[in-house]
Amino acid sequence: MMPDLGKYAFAVLASYGVGLGLLAVLVIASIARSRRVRAELEKIEERSKRPHG
């Protein structure tokens, strides 16, 4: 069910598309960064568990 947007239909739909696209990029970037940081923290924890000598 689509409301009648008249002559502004393209602008409104394009704005929604750009907004949703940017949200998707932010979510993907956040997940990727989280994985990188988690992997780095695991490396640091492994190094700290090794006996010093």
Side-chain angles (χ1 to χ4, degrees):
M1 212 156 89
M2 181 81 165
D4 181 26
L5 301 173
K7 65 179 183 176
Y8 300 107
F10 177 77
V12 170
L13 294 177
S15 296
Y16 273 108
V18 169
L20 290 174
L22 289 173
L23 282 173
V25 167
L26 285 172
V27 168
I28 291 167
S30 295
I31 291 170
R33 184 171 189 263
S34 171
R35 288 180 179 168
R36 283 194 309 269
V37 168
R38 182 172 299 178
E40 187 65 29
L41 287 173
E42 287 175 1
K43 286 180 191 176
I44 292 170
E45 286 180 359
E46 285 299 316
R47 276 189 262 151
S48 69
K49 289 180 183 177
R50 291 184 195 159
H52 299 283

